[in-house]
Amino acid sequence: MREVHYQEIVEKVADMCQRANYDLGEDVVNAFKNALQTEVSETGKDVLLQLIENAEIAATERVPMCQDTGYAVFIVELGQDCHITGGSLYDAINDGVRKGYGEGYLRNSIVGHPLERVNTGDNTPAVVHVEMVPGDKLTIHMTAKGGGSENMSALKMLKPSDGLQGVKDFILETVKQAGPNACPPIIVGVGIGGTFEKAAYLAKKSLFRPIGERSSRPEIAALEVELMELSNKLGIGPQGMGGRTTALDVKIEIYPCHIASLPVAVNINCHASRHKEVVL
Amino acid sequence: MSAKHISTPLTDDVIQSLRAGDRVLISGIVYAARDAAHKRMIELLDKGETLPFDVQGQVIYYVGPTPAKPGQVIGSAGPTTSGRMDKYAPKLLDLGLKGMIGKGYRNQEVKESIVKNQAIYFASVGGSGALLAKAIKTQEIVAYEDLGPEAIRKLTVENFPAVVINDSFGNDLYMEGTEKYRQD
């Protein structure tokens, strides 16, 4: 049994929180640059240039690219032969978030009670999903998920008879509804199948995949490309001010489902698609 | 398309000279306020009390900045989704608020109130908080310090970039822009 110490997780998580907010991934920056080549709207081009400049300032000056430094969401792959010592995994992650957000001058955006709405003051608790995997490694994936785009996400329990067309219609309708609110160009995360909560989890999980990385299933990869093209025909454009760049990517994850069900979840991400990972 | 330089407080002449789609560079004072601050302001008005600052002729920026690092005026400070303030905006516009900066759709009631009160709604680029912070030269907390990032701040801005979304004539860039580039 391999051992990973609590404090090591705290330090890595704290570092990830800061890097996620300062260093926009190359996949996203490249997607902005590619979009600049195809965007036809002058306002849209202006927005893309501003986003590229913004990412440069954030990385150089070590400041958050966006004031919404997000809900810290983690997907942890815990090897079944890995033992965490010195405390619980959840506590370690929350300690890391507390440290990272505090030391990194990141905004605390979490309220401790959804109705009483008092800020917890340290951006905790994080949302943590743990998947048990073979092996002795601990892989931590983190995203700083913005609230504006999260709010534009949706889930629908379709009928099996709605089929592929029903799925496409719902995804596009959600993108359309999100419009400028979700800070386009967006990344569209989709979960199809499973149960109510599984579909939502898959949609979130898909957003951890880098932009441009297609599903390993050919039919789903084709659907991702098709939905991206259809999204970009909606005219919404960068920041919703009109243009051809509405989505930088569409990501789809699927799972088997009940004979009676066809759940579809759409988790919208803003252009600041922040995802980092460490392997311990 | 070059940007128009405008100053706050906004005069009716300036407001009437602007159209949906115009790019502007705003200089002067704007007030930072978002969800919780709006809720408190409207509660004050409902009790017949006065607001912590006079909104007459002013511009409110929907923003909750990150904490400033040592040596910085303000942390990252991009716009938040304006629609969450729709519930409160018409009341403030009736009191003389002239401008709002945020991002995203406004509801029909706000759009009508913008026309009725000869006001204007701007959007700046959501997510470009590091860049936009550079246009903020001073900040001072005016009220509700306990709200942290949601406190009301008086900001001095210089050449703050924004785009007119809803003008005083009822035009809406989000509708027009999407219509223009939609491919059926």
Side-chain angles (χ1 to χ4, degrees):
Chain A
M1 187 71 84
R2 204 174 137 258
E3 292 192 344
V4 174
H5 196 266
Y6 184 96
Q7 201 53 37
E8 195 181 345
I9 299 171
V10 173
E11 298 302 328
K12 293 289 187 201
V13 165
D15 179 58
M16 280 169 106
C17 292
Q18 297 187 31
R19 283 191 295 115
N21 277 291
Y22 303 159
D23 299 315
L24 192 56
E26 249 178 61
D27 60 326
V28 187
V29 177
N30 287 338
F32 293 159
K33 290 178 180 165
N34 291 338
L36 208 48
Q37 307 304 313
T38 51
E39 182 53 64
V40 290
S41 149
E42 286 305 315
T43 311
K45 282 186 199 173
D46 255 12
V47 169
L48 292 166
L49 285 170
Q50 190 167 323
L51 294 180
I52 292 167
E53 192 185 348
N54 183 65
E56 282 168 6
I57 294 170
T60 312
E61 300 185 12
R62 313 309 291 160
V63 295
M65 64 196 77
C66 178
Q67 76 291 336
D68 184 353
T69 52
Y71 210 131
V73 179
F74 294 84
I75 295 180
V76 180
E77 291 167 66
L78 175 61
Q80 62 189 26
D81 300 320
C82 174
H83 177 223
I84 293 155
T85 59
S88 94
L89 171 66
Y90 294 95
D91 289 348
I93 289 175
N94 281 321
D95 270 356
V97 169
R98 196 169 287 124
K99 184 173 156 70
Y101 274 70
E103 292 176 356
Y105 294 89
L106 306 178
R107 194 182 76 184
N108 298 321
S109 308
I110 306 303
V111 293
H113 185 302
L115 299 175
E116 293 169 6
R117 308 201 70 82
V118 178
N119 200 304
T120 60
D122 59 10
N123 219 54
T124 68
V127 168
V128 183
H129 304 282
V130 180
E131 292 186 9
M132 191 72 109
V133 296
D136 63 0
K137 289 193 171 55
L138 175 69
T139 306
I140 306 174
H141 305 268
M142 184 256 176
T143 186
K145 185 66 177 72
S149 57
E150 191 76 356
N151 284 349
M152 304 316 291
S153 304
L155 186 143
K156 196 168 183 183
M157 305 303 285
L158 296 177
K159 295 182 185 70
S161 63
D162 292 329
L164 178 61
Q165 193 56 46
V167 170
K168 286 189 208 171
D169 289 347
F170 175 62
I171 295 167
L172 286 173
E173 190 50 41
T174 306
V175 170
K176 215 165 156 180
Q177 287 287 328
N181 291 29
C183 280
I186 56 175
I187 296 99
V188 185
V190 180
I192 309 173
T195 48
F196 179 80
E197 86 287 2
K198 181 73 176 182
Y201 174 64
L202 291 173
K204 175 73 84 212
K205 190 177 177 181
S206 76
L207 294 174
F208 285 73
R209 249 202 275 150
I211 290 177
E213 187 185 298
R214 296 266 72 86
S215 167
S216 57
R217 292 167 172 271
E219 81 287 5
I220 298 300
L223 188 57
E224 289 175 342
V225 172
E226 184 188 352
L227 281 162
M228 185 162 72
E229 285 167 0
L230 291 171
S231 299
N232 288 334
K233 284 184 176 175
L234 293 173
I236 296 166
Q239 292 294 308
M241 294 171 184
R244 300 273 158 81
T245 321
T246 300
L248 295 175
D249 209 349
V250 175
K251 305 291 192 193
I252 304 174
E253 299 286 328
I254 63 166
Y255 200 78
C257 62
H258 192 281
I259 49 173
S261 298
L262 177 48
V264 184
V266 182
N267 193 195
I268 306 272
N269 207 6
C270 58
H271 56 76
S273 176
R274 295 159 284 195
H275 46 90
K276 299 287 172 204
E277 68 170 63
V278 289
V279 183
L280 295 175
Chain B
M1 187 176 47
S2 64
K4 296 181 179 179
H5 289 261
I6 60 169
S7 306
T8 63
L10 296 175
T11 63
D12 286 351
D13 281 354
V14 167
I15 286 172
Q16 283 162 14
S17 74
L18 295 173
R19 296 289 184 282
D22 284 353
R23 286 168 50 208
V24 295
L25 292 168
I26 305 169
S27 297
I29 303 292
V30 302
Y31 289 88
R34 49 172 290 159
D35 304 62
H38 273 77
K39 185 165 184 274
R40 284 198 193 170
M41 286 198 288
I42 298 300
E43 280 165 3
L44 280 180
L45 292 174
D46 287 346
K47 281 190 280 185
E49 292 173 27
T50 53
L51 295 176
F53 73 100
D54 185 3
V55 298
Q56 180 75 37
Q58 302 300 331
V59 174
I60 288 181
Y61 179 21
Y62 302 136
V63 58
T66 60
K69 277 169 79 168
Q72 273 188 317
V73 171
I74 196 165
S76 290
T80 195
T81 311
S82 309
R84 294 195 315 270
M85 269 54 76
D86 280 356
K87 194 176 159 189
Y88 312 113
K91 202 159 204 169
L92 298 177
L93 290 165
D94 285 345
L95 283 173
L97 178 71
K98 281 293 179 183
M100 297 162 285
I101 309 170
K103 56 137 175 139
Y105 296 125
R106 306 314 301 261
N107 69 15
Q108 198 53 36
E109 203 188 341
V110 174
K111 289 190 222 175
E112 282 167 16
S113 182
I114 287 171
V115 174
K116 183 184 89 178
N117 291 297
Q118 289 293 286
I120 198 150
Y121 170 53
F122 304 99
S124 47
V125 174
S128 67
L131 176 73
L132 291 171
K134 295 212 171 282
I136 299 172
K137 302 303 174 187
T138 69
Q139 74 142 330
E140 146 193 11
I141 292 185
V142 171
Y144 312 146
E145 193 164 5
D146 63 297
L147 293 179
E150 296 202 74
I152 297 181
R153 291 172 162 82
K154 185 178 182 180
L155 310 176
T156 313
V157 297
E158 214 175 276
N159 294 328
F160 185 93
V163 177
V164 178
I165 303 293
N166 294 104
D167 63 27
S168 59
F169 304 93
N171 300 308
D172 183 339
L173 178 65
Y174 289 142
M175 309 284 279
E176 291 161 18
T178 300
E179 196 59 36
K180 186 172 169 190
Y181 292 99
R182 199 177 66 206
Q183 299 166 289
D184 291 319

